[in-house]
Amino acid sequence: GGLGGGGGLGGGGGLGGGDATPPLALGATDAMRALRGDGGAGAGTPTAPRTLALPSPPEESVSALAFRSAAMPEPASSAGRELLAASAWDGTTRVWDVTGWEEAVAPGSAGAAARRPALAHVYAARVPALCVAWAADGASVLGGGCDGSITRTDLAAPSAAVEVGRHAGGVSCVHTDARMGDVLLSGSWDGTLRSWDLRAPSARAALSTATLASRVLCAHARWPYAVVGLAVRGSVLLFDLRRPDAPVRTEGISEKMAEPPRCIALAPVGANATDGDGARKLTYCVATSGGRVAVQGVTVPYTFRAHCSAERAYAVNSLCFCALDDALLTCGSDGVVSIWNLRERNRVFSMPSAGQAVACAVFDGRGHGFAYAPSYDWAHGEEGADPSKGPEVRLAHRPAAANSKSL
């Protein structure tokens, strides 16, 4: 998609009304490169990386993807295996063993003979599965349902899903972090953000409940903070997970973000600076159905058009930072997956359109590639669905910089 409109460091793309102390200051070299436009060689032609479709995809739209983090412990039953989970609107949560998938898509005979990904588990529920995450122990999958249930399924006993929490409305997001231990964070359409003790054998009262002004549409947690997007234009809340029963502050988002937040992502901890008094400064991105991404917490916050053509804007469906180099992965209703370098302020890479919306995309734990889900995102209602285009889950190598373009 074309970029434009207020991306410059000179303030044209600044976000108004936010916290006065900007996190993650860009260095002078970074700023000069951005002003000169270094690294942005023009739009170019989208380049297709090598990709691989996973077997037995869901029958309905994919709602979320999650790789088991390399930082998680590996239980004996799945030691050495790279696992990818996907939740879907058909009520299933699927787990694929994608160990060695890079070799399976490598050119030549070696790739053809390599081990190919396989479906390892399918967990079925009676209601649409809206989100998925891995428990910090790496041995179980967590999910949120349209009926408000939060379940945990052990890989060693996949038929015995346990309800560990419940909301009064659909669960839009679930999050864990290795430093959160056995605590799960969940957001819901019932307008609450809750935390749960996963050591409990069955559903019990939440450890904390924050009652908010509107539905929780998206959230992301990296210890010790979380950012939460509500179903109100420009409404993003910052939480300290050590005191999660009330937000620390309401963030100021640019007026250019004319729609409610659709997805949100905190940058890796290493990308965040600290004040002189030791207070953490946070960098995060938030996106909407209007095609724009807002970058918060840099010296001069800005927005850019991530999934827009000359004629229209497309919804940004997911955001994901790479833990290794802070690259940002986005996907949208235009069917495009792109990688961005926010420090250099340029698009590093953009794939050709998948031919239908891409509902979600995530980096793998090593940053070598990513998973993405070509899948109808219901941006145009039931009449916009094309039954000839079923959902897919695909893996793609992360290519070197190609078709880059300055913001």
Side-chain angles (χ1 to χ4, degrees), residues 21-25 224-225 269-283 297:
T21 305
L24 186 61
Y225 295 104
V269 173
N272 295 312
T274 55
D275 282 328
D277 60 5
R280 176 66 56 80
K281 299 177 177 182
L282 297 175
T283 300

Side-chain angles (χ1 to χ4, degrees), residues 4-367:
L9 285 174
L15 305 182
D19 185 70
T21 305
L24 186 61
L26 291 175
T29 301
D30 294 318
M32 287 305 296
R33 285 175 176 168
L35 285 169
R36 292 196 309 262
D38 294 359
T45 302
T47 303
R50 298 190 303 274
T51 68
L52 178 68
L54 297 185
S56 304
E59 295 180 1
E60 300 291 344
S61 299
V62 177
S63 56
L65 296 169
F67 277 102
R68 184 168 69 175
S69 170
M72 292 178 177
E74 293 186 342
S77 60
S78 59
R81 294 162 62 191
E82 186 174 9
L83 302 178
L84 172 67
S87 56
W89 283 82
D90 61 3
T92 63
T93 297
R94 296 165 189 257
V95 175
W96 290 272
D97 183 347
V98 297
T99 308
W101 69 269
E102 298 97 330
E103 297 180 4
V105 295
S109 58
R115 176 182 177 183
R116 301 186 69 82
L119 183 66
H121 304 284
V122 179
Y123 317 126
R126 293 190 297 265
V127 297
L130 303 181
C131 49
V132 67
W134 288 89
D137 62 6
S140 53
V141 177
L142 305 164
C146 201
D147 62 348
S149 63
I150 304 170
T151 57
R152 177 175 184 166
T153 307
D154 194 320
L155 294 182
S159 62
V162 176
E163 185 172 301
V164 296
R166 178 165 284 275
H167 283 269
V171 181
S172 54
C173 46
V174 288
H175 287 284
T176 60
D177 185 284
R179 287 156 292 184
M180 292 168 61
D182 291 308
V183 174
L184 168 72
L185 187 72
S186 64
S188 170
W189 297 341
D190 66 5
T192 64
L193 185 75
R194 292 179 172 172
S195 62
W196 310 87
D197 186 352
L198 294 177
R199 294 170 297 182
S202 59
R204 295 185 179 179
L207 294 175
S208 67
T209 298
T211 301
L212 309 175
S214 184
R215 291 174 295 142
V216 175
L217 298 184
C218 54
H220 190 222
R222 289 188 190 272
W223 181 263
Y225 295 104
V227 283
V228 179
L230 304 183
V232 178
R233 171 181 170 176
S235 185
V236 173
L237 306 177
L238 173 68
F239 281 81
D240 185 331
L241 295 175
R242 294 162 294 194
R243 297 176 293 277
D245 48 1
V248 174
R249 66 173 183 256
T250 299
E251 298 283 279
I253 306 298
S254 171
E255 293 182 357
K256 293 180 180 179
M257 309 294 281
E259 302 83 10
R262 185 174 178 87
C263 47
I264 197 165
L266 273 166
V269 173
N272 295 312
T274 55
D275 282 328
D277 60 5
R280 176 66 56 80
K281 299 177 177 182
L282 297 175
T283 300
Y284 67 91
C285 289
V286 59
T288 72
S289 60
R292 283 185 176 270
V293 174
V295 183
Q296 294 282 97
V298 292
T299 303
V300 180
Y302 62 96
T303 72
F304 65 92
R305 303 201 318 150
H307 292 271
C308 301
S309 68
E311 296 79 24
R312 58 171 295 184
Y314 298 86
V316 182
N317 288 329
S318 75
L319 302 167
C320 179
F321 278 101
C322 179
L324 301 182
D325 60 7
D326 306 339
L328 178 69
L329 181 69
T330 70
C331 65
S333 292
D334 54 357
V336 174
V337 179
S338 295
I339 297 176
W340 312 84
N341 182 330
L342 300 183
R343 289 181 178 272
E344 302 287 350
R345 290 205 176 194
N346 73 330
R347 185 186 67 200
V348 178
F349 167 79
S350 184
M351 290 181 67
S353 174
Q356 62 174 322
V358 177
C360 43
V362 291
F363 279 117
D364 70 1
R366 294 164 296 171

